[in-house]
Amino acid sequence: MIRIDQLKCAPSKDDKGLIKAVSRKLGIRKEDILELGIIRKSLDARKKPELFNVYSVWVRTVNDEKILKKLRKDASVSVFSPVLYKAPEGGNEKLTHRPVITGMGPAGLFCAYELALRGYKPLIIERGRSVEERKNDVKRFWETGVLDTISNVQFGEGGAGTFSDGKLATSVKDKDGRIHEVLKIFSDNGAPFDILYEQMPHLGTDILPGIVKSIREKIIENGGEVRFETKLTGIAMNEGRVVSVTVTDREGAPEEIPCEVLILATGHSARDTYKMLYDNGLKMEQKPFAAGFRVQHPQKMINLDRYGSYEAAELLGASPYKVTANFEDRGVFSFCMCPGGYVVNASSEEGELCVNGMSYSGRDSANANSAIVVSIPVSEYPSDHPLAGIEYQRNLEKRAYDLAQGRIPAQRYGEFKDTVIKTENSTVSSESSDDGCRGESFEPVFKGEYEWCDLTGIFNEKINRLFVDGMTSFAHTIRNFDAPEVIMAGVESRTSSPVRIPRDGNMESSISGIYPLGEGAGYAGGITSAAADGLRGAESVIRKYSPLK
Ligand SMILES: Cc1cc2nc3c(=O)[nH]c(=O)nc-3n(C[C@H](O)[C@H](O)[C@H](O)COP(=O)(O)OP(=O)(O)OC[C@H]3O[C@@H](n4cnc5c(N)ncnc54)[C@H](O)[C@@H]3O)c2cc1C
């Protein structure tokens, strides 16, 4: 088969011009193309408002060899050699008990899926509720402000990214096809096929729960067992290896479950679980992370800047963006950008508040949002204790909660900036507009109640100043990015884990038999990389043990 890279076409909804472009490129008739598949599709907006889709494709023709010979000097045409994911053969050691998987976020879910399909009959415990029940719990929280600490935006089936933009792009290189395998599993369970080749694939909050449910059903069909509202509350060891776990059900009744494999996929918000594991001697270390505020701009402003016209968005959808800047020892950057999205109250603990972003598959709200975050080195943490980063996060979240008694604290950027750089020239307009920004006010979109506040007391002066410097710098990339009317909300503090649980080459922790996976272990950041880490964890178990009879 033949691979063609850098194939340019005018954007169209259904990749209409592609076959024509391929036949022209290869100098053959359309009828001589037997099969064609897209490997990658991205947008080239360097000559905006003239836009191009740029494709990498594979093609099977009536005579591949002849074409490859004819075009051998064309660097964009080559032999297609796909990277195929290959799961390992089962090992020889015998398991006496089912592997226990803790947490049903992407890491736990994909680990369980692979183990179930390969005959290891995993037992999966999840502290939160099923995704169907969780949808109502989260909606209720956003409507009433009453937090359910068992089932919320962070906890429950599907994990932290279930009520999200569902961005699936990752910076992890796909050397062994594992990332493609993750996307294929999503697609086999109800995600649209184009996630397999779009450069920036996304699902949306309306699609993710159905996929999560489908994966759960397949785990159960293949011999796995799922227990909701069941929390890991203890571990027991013998000679440095795990021998059982204690779990606590919805009535608070403890149960001891023997196991020789414990997958820890508990995410970065399970602070009580980190503590329990630390108290039991599991080795952990500090890890830097990033924190800041979520900002909202009118989506039309972003579309105009990125595409060069308002109309292009009708074909290409709401535009994403990415901005970064470096200031001496710190980075400031956009994180988890949600085109046409909502800023959500993403809290999971009483008396503490954090925000995040989500969107529906249509990405059709009026505003774009993203976290603008500053890198936080471990030297900012209150002590050298491995869990001090959690204390640091908690302090930020307590301050954010106290500002508006649990409602999302929000502020126009102009007012924030004036306080931070101690000027008195706030120029926030009260004129409402739906597409402009500088000199024209626009309305925020939140999931959860909000209140206008002064956000300058959440972080220290240095971080506030870095945030402002970042915003000023980003306005050189995106016009009006730092307009006074831009809406900020705090605090964005759950970007990644401030803790790492070290693991060896077989992915086991300092306690044998415990496999820390995903974001909470400090080895992933985002849905796809956490899911891929889940698959890697399953591979390690498969390589060592034979399936359960
Ligand atoms: C609102 C929001 C939007 C996001 N948007 C995106 C996005 O668009 N794209 C992207 O790539 N990433 C996004 N993320 C980040 C992404 O969700 C995480 O990177 C990812 O979910 C991490 O996966 P994980 O499996 O490691 O952990 P988690 O998803 O955090 O899952 C951990 C699970 O373990 C359970 N658990 C914890 N402790 C216990 C215990 N003791 N016993 C039993 N169960 C336990 C939790 O209830 C949870 O279900 C978003 C996150 C949020 C909150």
Side-chain angles (χ1 to χ4, degrees):
M1 278 192 283
I2 302 170
R3 176 179 175 129
I4 311 173
D5 291 301
Q6 293 298 323
L7 197 63
K8 280 191 179 183
C9 289
S12 70
K13 269 216 170 4
D14 48 6
D15 305 307
K16 243 189 349 228
L18 195 54
I19 294 187
K20 198 168 162 197
V22 169
S23 66
R24 196 181 313 127
K25 175 82 187 178
L26 300 182
I28 56 175
R29 297 174 309 156
K30 281 188 207 165
E31 304 79 71
D32 294 341
I33 298 172
L34 303 179
E35 270 187 286
L36 185 149
I38 303 172
I39 301 166
R40 200 93 173 135
K41 178 182 173 187
S42 57
L43 183 75
D44 182 351
R46 281 173 299 180
K47 292 187 180 159
K48 64 189 173 192
E50 200 182 359
L51 306 172
F52 299 98
N53 277 332
V54 182
Y55 295 87
S56 291
V57 295
W58 61 263
V59 198
R60 191 164 69 82
T61 67
V62 285
N63 196 339
D64 288 0
E65 253 177 56
K66 189 173 158 199
I67 292 168
L68 284 164
K69 203 167 159 198
K70 185 177 76 180
L71 297 175
R72 65 186 176 279
K73 290 198 178 135
D74 186 336
S76 62
V77 178
S78 56
V79 177
F80 176 53
S81 36
V83 182
L84 295 175
Y85 172 73
K86 198 169 176 307
E89 298 292 318
N92 295 324
E93 283 187 43
K94 280 212 158 26
L95 277 170
T96 5
H97 309 284
R98 342 169 99 186
V100 174
I101 298 179
T102 317
M104 275 182 97
L109 207 56
F110 277 68
C111 182
Y113 187 81
E114 187 67 16
L115 286 180
L117 262 56
R118 296 289 301 270
Y120 290 78
K121 302 185 173 72
L123 167 64
I124 305 114
I125 56 168
E126 166 55 57
R127 71 196 292 164
R129 301 200 180 95
S130 72
V131 74
E132 296 94 323
E133 290 176 279
R134 191 179 170 208
K135 273 201 287 194
N136 296 329
D137 299 333
V138 168
K139 187 164 174 271
R140 195 176 326 110
F141 170 54
W142 286 339
E143 282 168 6
T144 65
V146 181
L147 178 70
D148 183 337
T149 53
I150 288 172
S151 180
N152 49 56
V153 174
Q154 310 288 346
F155 295 156
E157 188 185 24
T162 309
F163 305 98
S164 78
D165 182 46
K167 279 176 288 299
L168 299 178
T170 171
S171 55
V172 176
K173 288 255 174 310
D174 197 16
K175 286 191 294 233
D176 35 29
R178 202 178 283 114
I179 299 290
H180 191 266
E181 180 68 9
V182 165
L183 298 175
K184 197 171 156 301
I185 294 172
F186 273 119
S187 162
D188 289 347
N189 285 281
F193 185 74
D194 62 10
I195 63 160
L196 292 173
Y197 56 79
E198 286 284 353
Q199 189 192 20
M200 310 270 269
H202 99 107
L203 295 170
T205 290
D206 44 334
I207 295 198
L208 270 155
I211 297 172
V212 168
K213 180 168 175 264
S214 165
I215 295 180
R216 178 226 303 160
E217 285 168 354
K218 289 202 183 135
I219 292 170
I220 295 170
E221 275 164 28
N222 285 280
E225 182 188 340
V226 176
R227 295 196 203 168
F228 293 118
E229 290 184 71
T230 303
K231 182 163 129 184
L232 175 76
T233 48
I235 52 171
M237 282 128 348
N238 186 12
E239 295 179 353
R241 67 166 304 125
V242 67
V243 290
S244 71
V245 293
T246 304
V247 302
T248 310
D249 71 9
R250 67 195 77 182
E251 271 83 44
E255 178 189 347
E256 197 176 335
I257 302 175
C259 65
E260 53 266 80
V261 168
L262 169 62
I263 304 288
L264 266 187
T266 46
H268 60 30
S269 293
R271 294 162 173 175
D272 50 354
T273 309
Y274 278 123
K275 179 161 186 322
M276 178 278 287
L277 294 165
Y278 181 78
D279 290 346
N280 275 284
L282 188 71
K283 199 170 165 211
M284 295 181 191
E285 54 195 41
Q286 294 186 339
K287 178 184 148 301
F289 77 118
F293 299 100
R294 209 154 259 264
V295 297
Q296 297 185 48
H297 296 86
Q299 182 63 52
K300 284 189 176 177
M301 173 197 128
I302 302 294
N303 291 345
L304 181 64
D305 188 275
R306 303 283 82 191
Y307 294 150
S309 75
Y310 290 124
E311 295 73 37
E314 285 162 28
L315 200 61
L316 299 168
S319 172
Y321 65 78
K322 192 171 180 179
V323 282
T324 63
N326 279 307
F327 302 97
E328 291 169 21
D329 57 335
R330 300 289 187 99
V332 184
F333 52 95
S334 59
F335 175 79
C336 189
M337 195 267 152
C338 300
Y342 297 81
V343 175
V344 305
N345 188 333
S347 308
S348 58
E349 296 193 353
E350 296 287 4
E352 294 167 20
L353 182 139
C354 62
V355 291
N356 213 303
M358 62 152 262
S359 73
Y360 296 107
S361 53
R363 284 182 162 168
D364 50 6
S365 95
N367 291 352
N369 74 67
S370 76
I372 298 296
V373 291
V374 179
S375 56
I376 309 287
V378 298
S379 55
E380 288 267 347
Y381 296 172
S383 74
D384 292 338
H385 191 283
L387 301 183
I390 292 180
E391 192 184 336
Y392 178 86
Q393 279 179 323
R394 277 198 157 129
N395 289 337
L396 298 178
E397 292 173 15
K398 278 191 185 115
R399 280 181 228 133
Y401 182 95
D402 290 344
L403 279 176
Q405 289 72 50
R407 285 182 286 281
I408 299 171
Q411 186 174 29
R412 297 273 176 187
Y413 174 64
E415 291 157 9
F416 178 87
K417 181 179 169 190
D418 289 347
T419 312
V420 170
I421 60 173
K422 301 185 175 60
T423 56
E424 280 188 13
N425 59 350
S426 176
T427 47
V428 178
S429 167
S430 56
E431 295 288 303
S432 193
S433 138
D434 65 349
D435 64 343
C437 203
R438 195 175 294 276
E440 293 172 336
S441 195
F442 65 102
E443 292 302 313
V445 285
F446 284 112
K447 293 280 183 186
E449 285 184 285
Y450 72 98
E451 193 173 306
W452 297 110
C453 296
D454 174 2
L455 294 177
T456 56
I458 296 180
F459 290 101
N460 63 27
E461 271 182 40
K462 178 170 178 176
I463 294 175
N464 283 344
R465 184 65 210 219
L466 282 161
F467 179 86
V468 169
D469 290 346
M471 292 291 285
T472 307
S473 159
F474 302 150
H476 297 299
T477 312
I478 299 176
R479 203 171 145 260
N480 285 337
F481 198 88
D482 64 344
E485 292 78 10
V486 167
I487 297 156
M488 303 167 57
V491 60
E492 182 89 22
S493 49
R494 309 265 183 107
T495 51
S496 71
S497 174
V499 180
R500 177 173 289 114
I501 307 179
R503 60 191 193 193
D504 63 17
N506 191 41
M507 300 183 78
E508 288 177 73
S509 66
S510 61
I511 301 174
S512 297
I514 297 186
Y515 297 72
L517 304 183
E519 187 146 41
Y523 295 95
I527 296 170
T528 302
S529 64
D533 204 48
L535 274 191
R536 275 190 72 198
E539 290 161 27
S540 291
V541 174
I542 291 169
R543 220 174 275 120
K544 189 164 178 180
Y545 296 100
S546 50
L548 273 169
K549 289 274 173 302

